[in-house]
Amino acid sequence: MVDLVQKHPSGGYILEELRVGMIAEKVITATEERIRLFAEASDDFNPVHLDEAFASKTAYRGRIAHGLLSASFGSAVVGTILPGAGSIYISQTLSFHLPVRIDDVVTIRITVVSVDQEGARVELNCEGFVDGKLIMDGIATVRVPRRRKPSAR
């Protein structure tokens, strides 16, 4: 049984609400603009990402998105859906399997694989797919709040 969850009404799940098997997905397109903005934000101007003439002569035969741009799509799920607001990355392993190209539609799937009640941490399996093919995966360790902040009135 797939336990696909949506964004929590409060913005984030607290530790006690998380259980192994919870899954969240988000679909994001690797647009030309996202690649350009990521290059600006990261200061990574590798021509394999930005220069078609250069990239066409590489093993990839064309421009590809930054690997960490694709990985940041996973961060979007962790920070906004599962666990969501208030969660803090502790660590992340990553393996890249296939390149992401301009206008590829990336489906990110985050799955809770363990919950550490004492340490207020969860381990998350993080996967990215393009056209059903695994493009990257890894395990994230994330600190999760034990309770919600009271709402400001």
Side-chain angles (χ1 to χ4, degrees), residues 76-115:
V77 178
V78 170
T80 65
I81 304 172
L82 183 67
S87 59
I88 303 293
Y89 259 96
I90 303 298
S91 66
Q92 171 79 56
T93 64
L94 281 172
S95 294
F96 297 100
H97 306 291
L98 294 169
V100 172
R101 299 186 181 280
I102 297 169
D103 294 328
D104 275 354
V105 177
V106 181
T107 300
I108 298 296
R109 181 180 304 139
I110 303 295
T111 306
V112 177
V113 293
S114 72
V115 179

Side-chain angles (χ1 to χ4, degrees), residues 35-46:
I35 293 167
R36 183 184 53 75
L37 290 171
F38 190 84
E40 290 286 336
S42 66
D43 209 31
D44 179 353
F45 296 98
N46 183 334

Side-chain angles (χ1 to χ4, degrees), residues 24-40:
E25 290 185 347
K26 186 174 181 89
V27 176
I28 302 172
T29 302
T31 63
E32 171 81 35
E33 182 181 22
R34 287 182 196 274
I35 293 167
R36 183 184 53 75
L37 290 171
F38 190 84
E40 290 286 336

Side-chain angles (χ1 to χ4, degrees), residues 60 64-67 70 95-101 104 106 128-137:
Y60 298 108
I64 60 172
H66 302 73
S70 302
S95 294
F96 297 100
H97 306 291
L98 294 169
V100 172
R101 299 186 181 280
D104 275 354
V106 181
F129 300 90
V130 171
D131 294 329
K133 296 177 187 152
L134 184 69
I135 54 113
M136 67 179 176
D137 62 352

